[in-house]
Amino acid sequence: MAGYPGGDFYSSPGLGGGSAINNSFHVQYRPQLGGGILVDPTAIVSQRADSATAKRSLAELQQQQQALFLRSVKQRNHQTSPISPLSPVSPEISSASSASSARNHGFTLLSRPNLLSAPNVAFSGINLRQGHEAEPDSAHKMRNRLQELERQLLNDDDNHEEGDCSAASTMTYSEWSETMQSLVTPPPPQKPLSPSPTTSSASSSNSSSSCSTNTTTSPAKQQLLDAASAISEGNTESATAILTRLQQVSSSRSVGNPEQRLIAYLVQALMLRINPSDTCFDPVAELCSKEHVMATQMLFEASPCFKLGFMAANHTILEATQNQAKIHVVDFDIGQGSQYMTLIHALGERQSAKPAVKITAVNDPNASFPDALRIVGDRLTKLAERVGVSLRFGVVCRKLSDLNRETLGCEQDETLAVNFAFRLHKMPDESVSTANPRDELLRLVKGLGPRVVTLVEQEMNANTAPFLARFNETQSYYGALFESLDATMARETKERTLVEECVARKATNCVAREGRDRVERCEVFGKWRARMGMAGFEARPLSAQLNESMRVRVNSIRPNPGFFVKEDSGGVCFGWKGRVLAVASAWR
């Protein structure tokens, strides 16, 4: 890729360079449809009495649980369908079928009112009363067919003579078959036309929030889900009992496979949710600790999905500022500065005149270790001197309301770029505060007039989702991340333990805390697109060169059993075995 050092994926400095670690379904259906129709292949309809008593009352029908099927269906011996409570109907229809054969073969009708008269009966997502998910014409047609079927099964037609059902029927076999098939076969899922900022299912890809790397549920994992469900229902005693058993039998967090390790951390997270006053573990304070910042950098280096996200942001900044004499990059969460080590190297390799670069790190004025940014600045400045790039590094410690072009040091002759890498999800939004710092920051940045804004975020629906849904998403997302670490890190190492503890702190905060105490508020790309649009941004198209470069980088990972990269909805998605873990995008 142009502008990037060649060589192995982990061979060059910084993110995309030297490692910071070394330097520092099956769908289950109910056995019956709301007490409606059940098929009994061995049911034999008793012959009716004389014509005077042929028409029986509804009570008699319910008591005997017997009814007539279509007179023309020839019964066959077969196994019940594994996906439907209705046995498959033979397509063979005997034209010589008579009333006697119809009386000897049929369905068992449990209750007539349950077929059409129940107020909220829905078949495969089709509400016959409301018509929520079906077109009005198709719902009306379906209802008419069911009424015709019900009339024939119950012999409600006063003019109907027994033995003439086949002749009198206005519904053909094929029509009946299509009707019943539509009832027992779930409709295919439909992709939403556009994402909604308030829809929890909005996503950049079909697989990002629903795919799992494991299609089976282990007993321990199922117990964990049961405990979370009990907590969501307010049954803390049951949840505590389950979690206590899991604590006794679960593997140590330093041994076992990735799933077992994650379960051990999530058990602790759920226990903390039940007992939020537990003073031995404060995930909010630990998320702000120096140890967590260092471990987060190690995570970014260890996971190709995060590392490639930073590289995609750098590539976009380089493209947007090409042939510019002065470049100013504002970063709201610079971390250890490894992203800019790669950027500075790329600028140093330019054959044309190298631009003057200024990097401004915006920091919280209440940060507990402000000297860390000075160390980052010194490291980047020394690197820039070695590669022949003129660099000015500055730190701005101000409240959000005090930030503007003047306080950020923006000059008229500079080409401005703003970088949001894994930062915005930690900003409170409208669900936390009416001030909505997240959107306030986006509007502020839009007012700065940057040429490009880069956004890199985890693909995870864990902001406004209810607790149980959020827990399931947390388990699925971090389960995939834990598993992917096996491809790049040995399990029994100190570095792996530090990285897993970093991930566990993030997962614990997401699961155990609420309100302002919940810092981890990740969203899916569909919501970020909507949020950026509301702030006045429009998507900046990603180049074909960027996509190809990212694919080359993924293919350079050895071994690579499951990492992938793809473009979707204007973003570049990085993931593991079908689960998108990070998405990079560009805006203007």
Side-chain angles (χ1 to χ4, degrees), residues 3-264:
Y4 279 99
D8 183 77
F9 181 80
Y10 290 102
S11 62
S12 54
L15 284 164
S19 173
I21 299 173
N22 298 326
N23 294 336
S24 35
F25 76 61
H26 292 291
V27 181
Q28 300 295 329
Y29 291 87
R30 295 183 181 273
Q32 62 185 46
L33 299 174
I37 300 178
L38 284 179
V39 175
D40 183 359
T42 62
I44 300 177
V45 182
S46 60
Q47 297 188 2
R48 301 184 179 185
D50 53 39
S51 57
T53 59
K55 180 169 292 189
R56 302 186 180 183
S57 66
L58 176 61
E60 290 175 321
L61 287 171
Q62 291 176 331
Q63 179 180 4
Q64 296 182 13
Q65 297 185 348
Q66 296 174 339
L68 291 177
F69 177 49
L70 295 177
R71 293 348 190 230
S72 59
V73 178
K74 179 180 179 181
Q75 186 178 15
R76 301 175 65 185
N77 293 327
H78 48 258
Q79 299 296 324
T80 303
S81 170
I83 63 169
S84 169
L86 292 175
S87 297
V89 180
S90 169
E92 301 177 10
I93 305 176
S94 173
S95 59
S97 178
S98 64
S100 61
S101 64
R103 288 192 296 269
N104 291 330
H105 308 287
F107 285 137
T108 300
L109 186 65
L110 295 183
S111 173
R112 177 182 177 182
N114 285 338
L115 185 60
L116 287 174
S117 303
N120 294 311
V121 173
F123 298 98
S124 296
I126 301 176
N127 190 313
L128 299 178
R129 291 289 183 184
Q130 304 295 335
H132 293 317
E133 300 185 26
E135 295 295 330
D137 291 340
S138 61
H140 180 70
K141 183 178 180 181
M142 180 74 69
R143 182 176 181 82
N144 289 341
R145 289 185 176 182
L146 288 174
Q147 288 174 337
E148 177 67 12
L149 175 61
E150 183 188 31
R151 182 187 60 76
Q152 295 180 32
L153 292 178
L154 295 177
N155 197 24
D156 269 2
D157 192 347
D158 290 338
N159 298 324
H160 173 72
E161 295 294 332
E162 186 172 350
D164 295 334
C165 178
S166 297
S169 174
T170 61
M171 181 185 294
T172 66
Y173 171 79
S174 60
E175 290 175 329
W176 180 90
S177 178
E178 291 173 1
T179 300
M180 298 311 297
Q181 184 67 20
S182 66
L183 294 182
V184 300
T185 304
Q190 297 185 1
K191 186 176 181 179
L193 296 178
S194 61
S196 169
T198 58
T199 302
S200 63
S201 61
S203 177
S204 67
S205 67
N206 294 336
S207 63
S208 60
S209 59
S210 59
C211 283
S212 174
T213 59
N214 189 359
T215 57
T216 60
T217 302
S218 65
K221 187 176 180 180
Q222 183 59 54
Q223 291 183 59
L224 195 64
L225 293 173
D226 292 341
S229 179
I231 292 175
S232 68
E233 296 171 357
N235 191 351
T236 57
E237 292 184 2
S238 176
T240 302
I242 296 173
L243 295 174
T244 301
R245 291 197 302 270
L246 283 175
Q247 282 182 323
Q248 295 172 351
V249 301
S250 62
S251 302
S252 169
R253 286 172 290 180
S254 60
V255 298
N257 60 38
E259 180 182 290
Q260 292 169 334
R261 295 186 182 205
L262 180 61
I263 286 176

Side-chain angles (χ1 to χ4, degrees), residues 254-560:
S254 60
V255 298
N257 60 38
E259 180 182 290
Q260 292 169 334
R261 295 186 182 205
L262 180 61
I263 286 176
Y265 285 114
L266 291 179
V267 166
Q268 183 181 20
L270 291 179
M271 291 292 280
L272 184 62
R273 185 176 180 89
I274 294 175
N275 302 298
S277 60
D278 189 350
T279 57
C280 66
F281 185 78
D282 188 346
V284 178
E286 292 198 8
L287 286 176
C288 301
S289 66
K290 184 176 181 179
E291 291 75 14
H292 182 73
V293 173
M294 294 297 295
T296 300
Q297 182 61 43
M298 295 170 68
L299 170 64
F300 292 158
E301 292 283 349
S303 172
C305 296
F306 297 146
K307 193 170 190 175
L308 289 170
F310 284 113
M311 294 179 66
N314 279 348
H315 190 288
T316 303
I317 293 173
L318 290 170
E319 283 188 336
T321 59
Q322 193 171 11
N323 301 323
Q324 300 299 308
K326 299 177 71 174
I327 301 174
H328 185 187
V329 182
V330 176
D331 194 300
F332 287 86
D333 190 3
I334 199 170
Q336 299 298 300
S338 294
Q339 175 181 356
Y340 296 100
M341 295 177 68
T342 305
L343 184 67
I344 292 171
H345 267 286
L347 290 171
E349 290 185 349
R350 282 186 172 178
Q351 300 300 320
S352 58
K354 297 176 177 59
V357 180
K358 179 165 62 179
I359 298 177
T360 299
V362 182
N363 195 34
D364 189 332
N366 299 320
S368 56
F369 40 95
D371 291 341
L373 291 180
R374 178 182 56 80
I375 298 173
V376 170
D378 291 343
R379 185 188 308 123
L380 295 178
T381 301
K382 292 178 180 179
L383 173 62
E385 292 175 354
R386 291 200 303 269
V387 300
V389 174
S390 173
L391 173 66
R392 286 191 295 161
F393 184 87
V395 178
V396 174
C397 294
R398 288 179 177 268
K399 297 185 298 183
L400 182 60
S401 58
D402 294 334
L403 296 178
N404 51 49
R405 288 186 62 90
E406 182 180 358
T407 57
L408 290 172
C410 299
E411 301 175 12
Q412 291 296 330
D413 59 345
E414 294 175 341
T415 300
L416 180 63
V418 177
N419 184 53
F420 288 120
F422 305 105
R423 169 57 182 166
L424 286 179
H425 78 270
K426 292 182 283 189
M427 296 285 293
D429 69 346
E430 65 279 358
S431 66
V432 181
S433 168
T434 55
N436 196 352
R438 184 180 293 186
D439 286 355
E440 181 184 357
L441 176 58
L442 289 176
R443 290 192 296 270
L444 182 150
V445 170
K446 179 61 178 176
L448 298 177
R451 174 165 294 190
V452 64
V453 175
T454 52
L455 174 65
V456 188
E457 280 292 348
Q458 297 174 233
E459 179 70 358
M460 183 181 178
N461 183 29
N463 182 18
T464 57
F467 165 69
L468 187 57
R470 188 168 77 242
F471 177 82
N472 288 332
E473 177 76 347
T474 300
Q475 186 179 57
S476 174
Y477 180 90
Y478 287 114
L481 180 56
F482 262 58
E483 184 180 323
S484 71
L485 291 175
D486 271 355
T488 58
M489 302 184 74
R491 290 183 185 179
E492 308 306 326
T493 62
K494 179 181 179 181
E495 290 80 8
R496 174 68 176 265
T497 300
L498 292 175
V499 167
E500 288 188 354
E501 287 177 348
C502 165
V503 174
R505 283 189 287 268
K506 292 165 66 69
T508 298
N509 181 263
C510 182
V511 168
R513 298 301 187 184
E514 296 293 349
R516 292 186 178 273
D517 289 338
R518 180 151 63 89
V519 179
E520 292 292 322
R521 292 180 171 274
C522 298
E523 292 185 327
V524 293
F525 184 45
K527 289 189 175 182
W528 288 120
R529 285 202 313 267
R531 196 177 290 276
M532 296 295 286
M534 288 187 293
F537 291 98
E538 63 179 21
R540 179 186 177 93
L542 301 174
S543 68
Q545 183 185 10
L546 170 60
N547 296 327
E548 181 60 26
S549 175
M550 294 298 102
R551 290 188 179 92
V552 170
R553 296 281 176 170
V554 166
N555 293 334
S556 71
I557 304 172
R558 295 292 183 270
N560 178 18

